[in-house]
Amino acid sequence: MVDRKDIGSWLSGPDTSGISKYPGERLGLPESGPGSIARAGRRLVAIIIDWGIALLISNFAFAGDSWATLGIFAAEQVLLVGTLGYSIGHRVAGIHVVRLGGGTPGPVAGLVRALLLCLVIPAVIFDPDQRGLHDKAMNTVLIRM
């Protein structure tokens, strides 16, 4: 005979004992404040600023060519994120990219992240820790400063 407490009740809902309480908990990051996972609002502000800068440069130098805008955006991501760990938009939004072990991403991670970010889809598919596929591929995370 099966005991009722072994099967639970539909009123108790699904078992959530293995699910983290907040994004970044599984990675050992704090729930809020500096060092916590950067949420969608800050990310959106950062990408709007970075795209705006790329569009501005493209309008002056390349008559607003869409491929030039994408190239300028990618170059900013590769150079700044790869060396400093943040783009201009990231800095304004108070976020930066770090390797999970610590430190800046480096040039290769900056290049791969930028290429995947330009494809859009890898950036909008993310895990429970709100890491996009571009971050997962390079073992990086976008955190608050």
Side-chain angles (χ1 to χ4, degrees), residues 74-89:
E76 177 195 13
Q77 296 297 311
V78 170
L79 295 173
L80 296 179
V81 173
T83 57
L84 302 173
Y86 53 83
S87 65
I88 296 168

Side-chain angles (χ1 to χ4, degrees), residues 12-131:
S12 64
D15 178 24
T16 58
S17 60
I19 299 175
S20 58
K21 295 178 181 121
Y22 61 89
E25 180 182 32
R26 297 179 314 150
L27 303 173
L29 301 175
E31 184 172 4
S32 61
S36 65
I37 294 286
R39 301 297 202 266
R42 289 178 185 263
R43 293 170 188 241
L44 188 60
V45 166
I47 202 162
I48 288 171
I49 290 170
D50 289 337
W51 190 259
I53 291 169
L55 193 56
L56 190 66
I57 293 169
S58 173
N59 280 334
F60 282 114
F62 301 101
D65 181 69
S66 58
W67 288 107
T69 304
L70 185 63
I72 293 165
F73 175 80
E76 177 195 13
Q77 296 297 311
V78 170
L79 295 173
L80 296 179
V81 173
T83 57
L84 302 173
Y86 53 83
S87 65
I88 296 168
H90 288 153
R91 186 69 175 184
V92 170
I95 58 180
H96 68 276
V97 180
V98 295
R99 287 200 175 279
L100 279 180
T104 58
V108 173
L111 176 66
V112 173
R113 280 186 87 259
L115 292 175
L116 292 173
L117 184 60
C118 288
L119 293 175
V120 178
I121 300 299
V124 296
I125 297 174
F126 48 89
D127 67 6
D129 291 314
Q130 295 184 0
R131 290 174 62 212

Side-chain angles (χ1 to χ4, degrees), residues 2-10 12-13:
V2 177
D3 189 7
R4 288 183 94 185
K5 63 183 170 188
D6 289 338
I7 60 172
S9 166
W10 65 274
S12 64

